[in-house]
Short mmCIF file of all heavy atoms in Angstrom, two decimals:
data_model
loop_
_atom_site.label_atom_id
_atom_site.label_comp_id
_atom_site.label_asym_id
_atom_site.label_seq_id
_atom_site.Cartn_x
_atom_site.Cartn_y
_atom_site.Cartn_z
N ALA F 172 21.55 -9.70 -6.65
CA ALA F 172 20.15 -10.34 -6.58
C ALA F 172 19.27 -9.34 -7.27
O ALA F 172 18.39 -8.81 -6.75
CB ALA F 172 19.83 -10.47 -5.08
N PRO F 173 19.32 -9.50 -8.75
CA PRO F 173 18.50 -8.46 -9.48
C PRO F 173 16.95 -8.76 -9.25
O PRO F 173 16.28 -7.77 -9.25
CB PRO F 173 18.97 -8.80 -10.90
CG PRO F 173 19.59 -10.09 -10.93
CD PRO F 173 20.16 -10.31 -9.43
N VAL F 174 16.58 -9.96 -9.05
CA VAL F 174 15.13 -10.17 -8.91
C VAL F 174 14.67 -9.64 -7.49
O VAL F 174 13.65 -8.88 -7.47
CB VAL F 174 14.70 -11.63 -8.88
CG1 VAL F 174 13.24 -12.00 -8.66
CG2 VAL F 174 15.01 -12.25 -10.44
N ALA F 175 15.31 -9.82 -6.50
CA ALA F 175 15.07 -9.39 -5.13
C ALA F 175 14.94 -7.90 -5.21
O ALA F 175 14.03 -7.26 -4.60
CB ALA F 175 15.95 -9.94 -4.27
N TYR F 176 16.06 -7.20 -5.82
CA TYR F 176 16.03 -5.76 -5.67
C TYR F 176 15.14 -5.17 -6.62
O TYR F 176 14.50 -4.06 -6.25
CB TYR F 176 17.49 -5.37 -6.10
CG TYR F 176 18.54 -5.91 -5.15
CD1 TYR F 176 19.87 -5.99 -5.56
CD2 TYR F 176 18.27 -6.32 -3.86
CE1 TYR F 176 20.91 -6.54 -4.82
CE2 TYR F 176 19.20 -6.82 -3.04
CZ TYR F 176 20.52 -6.95 -3.49
OH TYR F 176 21.43 -7.40 -2.68
N SER F 177 14.71 -5.87 -7.68
CA SER F 177 13.61 -5.31 -8.57
C SER F 177 12.28 -5.36 -7.75
O SER F 177 11.44 -4.55 -7.99
CB SER F 177 13.60 -6.05 -9.89
OG SER F 177 14.74 -5.83 -10.59
N LEU F 178 12.17 -6.51 -7.07
CA LEU F 178 10.83 -6.62 -6.32
C LEU F 178 10.80 -5.57 -5.28
O LEU F 178 9.76 -5.01 -4.98
CB LEU F 178 10.84 -8.05 -5.68
CG LEU F 178 10.30 -9.06 -6.68
CD1 LEU F 178 10.54 -10.48 -6.00
CD2 LEU F 178 8.92 -8.86 -7.11
N SER F 179 11.97 -5.15 -4.64
CA SER F 179 11.89 -4.15 -3.60
C SER F 179 11.48 -2.78 -4.31
O SER F 179 10.69 -1.95 -3.62
CB SER F 179 13.23 -4.00 -3.05
OG SER F 179 13.46 -4.95 -2.10
N ALA F 180 11.97 -2.58 -5.53
CA ALA F 180 11.62 -1.40 -6.20
C ALA F 180 10.14 -1.36 -6.61
O ALA F 180 9.41 -0.38 -6.46
CB ALA F 180 12.40 -1.16 -7.50
N LEU F 181 9.61 -2.53 -7.03
CA LEU F 181 8.20 -2.62 -7.29
C LEU F 181 7.30 -2.37 -6.06
O LEU F 181 6.37 -1.66 -6.07
CB LEU F 181 7.87 -4.01 -7.90
CG LEU F 181 6.35 -4.29 -8.09
CD1 LEU F 181 5.91 -3.48 -9.15
CD2 LEU F 181 6.27 -5.82 -8.56
N ALA F 182 7.79 -2.87 -4.83
CA ALA F 182 7.06 -2.64 -3.71
C ALA F 182 7.09 -1.21 -3.31
O ALA F 182 6.04 -0.62 -2.82
CB ALA F 182 7.71 -3.50 -2.52
N ALA F 183 8.14 -0.52 -3.56
CA ALA F 183 8.26 0.92 -3.21
C ALA F 183 7.16 1.68 -4.20
O ALA F 183 6.48 2.55 -3.68
CB ALA F 183 9.63 1.40 -3.57
N VAL F 184 7.19 1.31 -5.47
CA VAL F 184 6.08 1.97 -6.42
C VAL F 184 4.71 1.74 -5.88
O VAL F 184 3.89 2.61 -5.83
CB VAL F 184 6.27 1.49 -7.86
CG1 VAL F 184 5.22 1.91 -8.73
CG2 VAL F 184 7.61 1.97 -8.42
N VAL F 185 4.45 0.53 -5.43
CA VAL F 185 3.10 0.08 -5.00
C VAL F 185 2.79 0.86 -3.74
O VAL F 185 1.53 1.43 -3.54
CB VAL F 185 3.00 -1.35 -4.72
CG1 VAL F 185 1.76 -1.77 -3.89
CG2 VAL F 185 3.11 -2.20 -5.90
N TYR F 186 3.73 1.12 -2.76
CA TYR F 186 3.40 1.85 -1.62
C TYR F 186 3.28 3.35 -1.89
O TYR F 186 2.42 3.95 -1.29
CB TYR F 186 4.53 1.69 -0.66
CG TYR F 186 4.60 0.32 0.08
CD1 TYR F 186 5.76 -0.52 0.12
CD2 TYR F 186 3.49 -0.23 0.56
CE1 TYR F 186 5.78 -1.80 0.66
CE2 TYR F 186 3.48 -1.48 1.29
CZ TYR F 186 4.53 -2.26 1.24
OH TYR F 186 4.53 -3.51 1.74
N ILE F 187 3.93 3.85 -2.79
CA ILE F 187 3.81 5.22 -3.33
C ILE F 187 2.39 5.44 -3.81
O ILE F 187 1.66 6.41 -3.41
CB ILE F 187 4.86 5.70 -4.19
CG1 ILE F 187 6.25 5.78 -3.56
CG2 ILE F 187 4.52 7.11 -4.89
CD1 ILE F 187 7.37 5.92 -4.50
N VAL F 188 1.99 4.65 -4.77
CA VAL F 188 0.71 4.70 -5.44
C VAL F 188 -0.36 4.59 -4.42
O VAL F 188 -1.37 5.22 -4.33
CB VAL F 188 0.52 3.61 -6.61
CG1 VAL F 188 -0.88 3.62 -7.14
CG2 VAL F 188 1.53 3.96 -7.81
N ALA F 189 -0.28 3.59 -3.54
CA ALA F 189 -1.31 3.47 -2.47
C ALA F 189 -1.40 4.59 -1.55
O ALA F 189 -2.46 5.00 -1.18
CB ALA F 189 -0.96 2.09 -1.72
N THR F 190 -0.27 5.15 -1.14
CA THR F 190 -0.26 6.27 -0.30
C THR F 190 -1.04 7.46 -0.97
O THR F 190 -1.89 8.11 -0.36
CB THR F 190 1.11 6.80 0.06
OG1 THR F 190 1.80 5.62 0.69
CG2 THR F 190 1.14 8.01 0.96
N VAL F 191 -0.71 7.78 -2.23
CA VAL F 191 -1.32 8.91 -2.94
C VAL F 191 -2.77 8.60 -3.14
O VAL F 191 -3.59 9.46 -2.99
CB VAL F 191 -0.60 9.13 -4.39
CG1 VAL F 191 -1.41 10.07 -5.21
CG2 VAL F 191 0.85 9.64 -4.04
N ALA F 192 -3.13 7.35 -3.48
CA ALA F 192 -4.58 7.01 -3.80
C ALA F 192 -5.37 7.08 -2.45
O ALA F 192 -6.48 7.52 -2.54
CB ALA F 192 -4.64 5.64 -4.37
N LEU F 193 -4.82 6.83 -1.29
CA LEU F 193 -5.51 6.80 -0.11
C LEU F 193 -5.67 8.39 0.32
O LEU F 193 -6.84 8.62 0.99
CB LEU F 193 -4.81 6.18 0.95
CG LEU F 193 -4.90 4.62 0.92
CD1 LEU F 193 -3.80 4.12 2.05
CD2 LEU F 193 -6.24 4.15 1.26
N ILE F 194 -4.86 9.19 -0.06
CA ILE F 194 -5.07 10.68 0.32
C ILE F 194 -6.05 11.33 -0.62
O ILE F 194 -6.80 12.03 -0.14
CB ILE F 194 -3.65 11.27 0.17
CG1 ILE F 194 -2.74 10.79 1.15
CG2 ILE F 194 -3.80 12.82 0.18
CD1 ILE F 194 -1.26 11.32 1.05
N ARG F 195 -5.97 10.93 -1.84
CA ARG F 195 -6.85 11.60 -2.83
C ARG F 195 -8.37 11.09 -2.78
O ARG F 195 -8.56 9.98 -2.17
CB ARG F 195 -6.42 11.36 -4.31
CG ARG F 195 -5.00 11.69 -4.53
CD ARG F 195 -4.81 13.15 -4.47
NE ARG F 195 -5.75 13.86 -5.37
CZ ARG F 195 -5.44 14.78 -6.24
NH1 ARG F 195 -4.23 15.23 -6.31
NH2 ARG F 195 -6.43 15.26 -7.03
N SER F 196 -9.21 11.90 -3.18
CA SER F 196 -10.67 11.48 -3.04
C SER F 196 -11.27 11.18 -4.45
O SER F 196 -10.67 11.57 -5.44
CB SER F 196 -11.49 12.64 -2.34
OG SER F 196 -11.47 13.86 -3.08
N GLY F 197 -12.45 10.64 -4.41
CA GLY F 197 -13.06 10.29 -5.64
C GLY F 197 -13.07 8.81 -6.02
O GLY F 197 -12.29 8.04 -5.43
N ASN F 198 -14.05 8.43 -6.81
CA ASN F 198 -14.24 7.00 -7.20
C ASN F 198 -12.90 6.47 -7.89
O ASN F 198 -12.59 5.37 -7.74
CB ASN F 198 -15.43 6.85 -8.06
CG ASN F 198 -16.69 7.06 -7.31
OD1 ASN F 198 -16.73 6.85 -6.09
ND2 ASN F 198 -17.77 7.61 -8.00
N GLY F 199 -12.34 7.29 -8.77
CA GLY F 199 -11.17 6.81 -9.54
C GLY F 199 -10.03 6.63 -8.58
O GLY F 199 -9.29 5.51 -8.74
N TRP F 200 -9.72 7.39 -7.66
CA TRP F 200 -8.65 7.18 -6.75
C TRP F 200 -8.96 6.01 -5.82
O TRP F 200 -8.08 5.26 -5.34
CB TRP F 200 -8.31 8.47 -5.86
CG TRP F 200 -7.57 9.38 -6.73
CD1 TRP F 200 -8.03 10.60 -7.27
CD2 TRP F 200 -6.20 9.29 -7.26
NE1 TRP F 200 -7.01 11.26 -7.92
CE2 TRP F 200 -5.84 10.46 -7.89
CE3 TRP F 200 -5.27 8.32 -6.96
CZ2 TRP F 200 -4.66 10.65 -8.55
CZ3 TRP F 200 -3.98 8.58 -7.59
CH2 TRP F 200 -3.67 9.66 -8.36
N TYR F 201 -10.30 5.81 -5.40
CA TYR F 201 -10.64 4.75 -4.66
C TYR F 201 -10.36 3.45 -5.45
O TYR F 201 -9.88 2.50 -4.77
CB TYR F 201 -12.14 4.86 -4.35
CG TYR F 201 -12.69 3.67 -3.56
CD1 TYR F 201 -12.59 3.62 -2.26
CD2 TYR F 201 -13.25 2.54 -4.25
CE1 TYR F 201 -13.06 2.59 -1.43
CE2 TYR F 201 -13.73 1.52 -3.54
CZ TYR F 201 -13.64 1.55 -2.14
OH TYR F 201 -14.12 0.41 -1.39
N ARG F 202 -10.59 3.39 -6.64
CA ARG F 202 -10.24 2.21 -7.45
C ARG F 202 -8.76 2.00 -7.49
O ARG F 202 -8.32 0.82 -7.43
CB ARG F 202 -10.88 2.14 -8.81
CG ARG F 202 -12.38 1.98 -8.83
CD ARG F 202 -12.87 1.68 -10.28
NE ARG F 202 -12.94 3.01 -11.03
CZ ARG F 202 -13.84 3.78 -11.02
NH1 ARG F 202 -14.86 3.68 -10.29
NH2 ARG F 202 -13.73 4.99 -11.80
N VAL F 203 -7.99 3.05 -7.67
CA VAL F 203 -6.56 2.92 -7.75
C VAL F 203 -6.02 2.34 -6.39
O VAL F 203 -5.17 1.57 -6.30
CB VAL F 203 -5.96 4.27 -8.07
CG1 VAL F 203 -4.42 4.25 -7.86
CG2 VAL F 203 -6.32 4.70 -9.48
N ALA F 204 -6.64 2.95 -5.38
CA ALA F 204 -6.09 2.43 -3.91
C ALA F 204 -6.42 0.93 -3.78
O ALA F 204 -5.68 0.16 -3.31
CB ALA F 204 -6.86 3.22 -2.84
N TRP F 205 -7.65 0.56 -4.16
CA TRP F 205 -8.12 -0.83 -3.93
C TRP F 205 -7.18 -1.79 -4.92
O TRP F 205 -6.76 -2.83 -4.28
CB TRP F 205 -9.54 -0.92 -4.48
CG TRP F 205 -10.13 -2.34 -4.12
CD1 TRP F 205 -10.25 -3.48 -4.94
CD2 TRP F 205 -10.79 -2.68 -2.96
NE1 TRP F 205 -10.68 -4.51 -4.26
CE2 TRP F 205 -11.12 -4.00 -2.97
CE3 TRP F 205 -11.01 -1.97 -1.74
CZ2 TRP F 205 -11.67 -4.69 -1.95
CZ3 TRP F 205 -11.53 -2.67 -0.68
CH2 TRP F 205 -12.01 -3.89 -0.77
N ILE F 206 -6.91 -1.41 -6.07
CA ILE F 206 -5.93 -2.15 -6.97
C ILE F 206 -4.61 -2.20 -6.41
O ILE F 206 -4.02 -3.37 -6.29
CB ILE F 206 -6.03 -1.62 -8.44
CG1 ILE F 206 -7.40 -1.85 -9.07
CG2 ILE F 206 -4.95 -2.19 -9.23
CD1 ILE F 206 -7.61 -1.10 -10.38
N ALA F 207 -4.07 -1.09 -5.97
CA ALA F 207 -2.62 -1.15 -5.47
C ALA F 207 -2.53 -1.95 -4.25
O ALA F 207 -1.69 -2.72 -4.05
CB ALA F 207 -2.23 0.39 -5.16
N ILE F 208 -3.55 -1.82 -3.26
CA ILE F 208 -3.43 -2.58 -2.02
C ILE F 208 -3.65 -4.03 -2.30
O ILE F 208 -3.13 -4.82 -1.73
CB ILE F 208 -4.36 -1.85 -0.99
CG1 ILE F 208 -3.86 -0.49 -0.71
CG2 ILE F 208 -4.41 -2.80 0.20
CD1 ILE F 208 -4.79 0.37 0.13
N SER F 209 -4.57 -4.35 -3.21
CA SER F 209 -4.84 -5.74 -3.47
C SER F 209 -3.53 -6.34 -4.20
O SER F 209 -3.14 -7.45 -3.83
CB SER F 209 -5.97 -5.90 -4.41
OG SER F 209 -7.22 -5.49 -3.94
N PHE F 210 -2.93 -5.62 -5.03
CA PHE F 210 -1.65 -6.15 -5.65
C PHE F 210 -0.61 -6.30 -4.54
O PHE F 210 0.21 -7.33 -4.53
CB PHE F 210 -1.14 -5.08 -6.63
CG PHE F 210 0.08 -5.52 -7.31
CD1 PHE F 210 0.02 -6.43 -8.42
CD2 PHE F 210 1.31 -5.05 -6.91
CE1 PHE F 210 1.14 -6.88 -9.04
CE2 PHE F 210 2.52 -5.54 -7.58
CZ PHE F 210 2.43 -6.36 -8.62
N GLU F 211 -0.47 -5.33 -3.57
CA GLU F 211 0.38 -5.40 -2.44
C GLU F 211 0.14 -6.73 -1.73
O GLU F 211 1.10 -7.44 -1.41
CB GLU F 211 0.24 -4.25 -1.57
CG GLU F 211 1.04 -4.40 -0.27
CD GLU F 211 0.48 -3.37 0.77
OE1 GLU F 211 -0.47 -2.64 0.59
OE2 GLU F 211 1.17 -3.40 1.86
N MET F 212 -1.14 -6.98 -1.37
CA MET F 212 -1.33 -8.18 -0.70
C MET F 212 -1.01 -9.45 -1.34
O MET F 212 -0.33 -10.29 -0.81
CB MET F 212 -2.95 -8.26 -0.44
CG MET F 212 -3.35 -9.40 0.43
SD MET F 212 -2.79 -9.24 2.08
CE MET F 212 -3.92 -10.27 2.88
N LEU F 213 -1.26 -9.56 -2.68
CA LEU F 213 -0.88 -10.64 -3.41
C LEU F 213 0.66 -10.74 -3.49
O LEU F 213 1.22 -11.83 -3.34
CB LEU F 213 -1.39 -10.46 -4.88
CG LEU F 213 -0.98 -11.55 -5.87
CD1 LEU F 213 -1.73 -12.87 -5.45
CD2 LEU F 213 -1.54 -11.24 -7.29
#
Side-chain angles (χ1 to χ4, degrees):
V174 173
Y176 300 156
S177 296
L178 282 171
S179 287
L181 176 63
V184 171
V185 170
Y186 287 128
I187 291 167
V188 170
T190 303
V191 171
L193 285 169
I194 292 170
R195 304 295 304 230
S196 62
N198 291 331
W200 284 109
Y201 177 84
R202 281 192 293 276
V203 170
W205 192 267
I206 291 166
I208 295 172
S209 296
F210 182 84
E211 171 198 2
M212 182 67 157
L213 180 65

